[in-house]
Amino acid sequence: MSTIFTKIINREIPSDIIYEDSEIIVIKDIKPEAKIHLLIIPKKEIATINDLDESDSTLIANMFFVAKKVAKDLWISEWYKLKFNVWKLGWQEVMHLHLHLLSNI
Ligand code: AMP
């Protein structure tokens, strides 16, 4: 079943998109927990970190490269953290893989 992130990727609902390429989109979190709170989201529907397989290796690496690029573009390269929540007891609400990028600079 598609998640809200797939709807954002497909432009079915609006979002503040700050980066996009063929496999990844980056949006502003709707309920930011820091001054800058972005979500780095693969377009492929992978529910959680636990659902990754070897064929996702490049995609996952690219999520980190996008995080690095976005942080550089926003001039926060030395002031940010990255976070994956995993499953409901691990604070994951949206079952579509995403990497949080947070900064209070
Ligand atoms: P998580 O708890 O790791 O699953 O994080 C999901 C995140 O998605 C939360 O920080 C939400 O605020 C964010 N979120 C939910 N719906 C939207 C939306 N429509 N646009 C942007 N961010 C959203």
Side-chain angles (χ1 to χ4, degrees):
M1 199 183 78
S2 287
T3 67
I4 194 155
F5 291 163
T6 295
K7 291 190 172 74
I8 287 170
I9 291 161
N10 293 336
R11 308 301 201 270
E12 291 166 24
I13 61 168
S15 179
D16 209 339
I17 298 169
I18 69 147
Y19 173 89
E20 183 171 20
D21 63 28
S22 60
E23 60 180 3
I24 291 167
I25 194 165
V26 181
I27 64 170
K28 288 188 181 175
D29 196 293
I30 206 165
K31 283 196 285 180
E33 293 170 14
K35 284 185 195 161
I36 295 172
H37 187 172
L38 306 177
L39 301 171
I40 297 153
I41 307 168
K43 293 183 176 177
K44 181 179 176 186
E45 290 182 322
I46 302 167
T48 81
I49 282 279
N50 296 336
D51 299 294
L52 291 174
D53 64 41
E54 301 258 328
S55 68
D56 299 315
S57 300
T58 303
L59 174 61
I60 295 307
N62 287 343
M63 288 174 69
F64 285 101
F65 284 120
V66 167
K68 175 184 156 184
K69 176 191 164 26
V70 168
K72 185 166 183 248
D73 290 349
L74 295 175
W75 297 83
I76 57 168
S77 288
E78 296 179 8
W79 300 275
Y80 70 105
K81 71 175 176 180
L82 298 172
K83 174 181 79 164
F84 283 107
N85 292 327
V86 186
W87 268 103
K88 301 207 187 284
L89 292 177
W91 296 275
Q92 185 174 354
E93 290 174 11
V94 179
M95 290 298 151
H96 182 140
L97 190 69
H98 52 283
L99 177 61
H100 294 258
L101 186 159
L102 301 117
S103 178
N104 267 329
I105 193 71

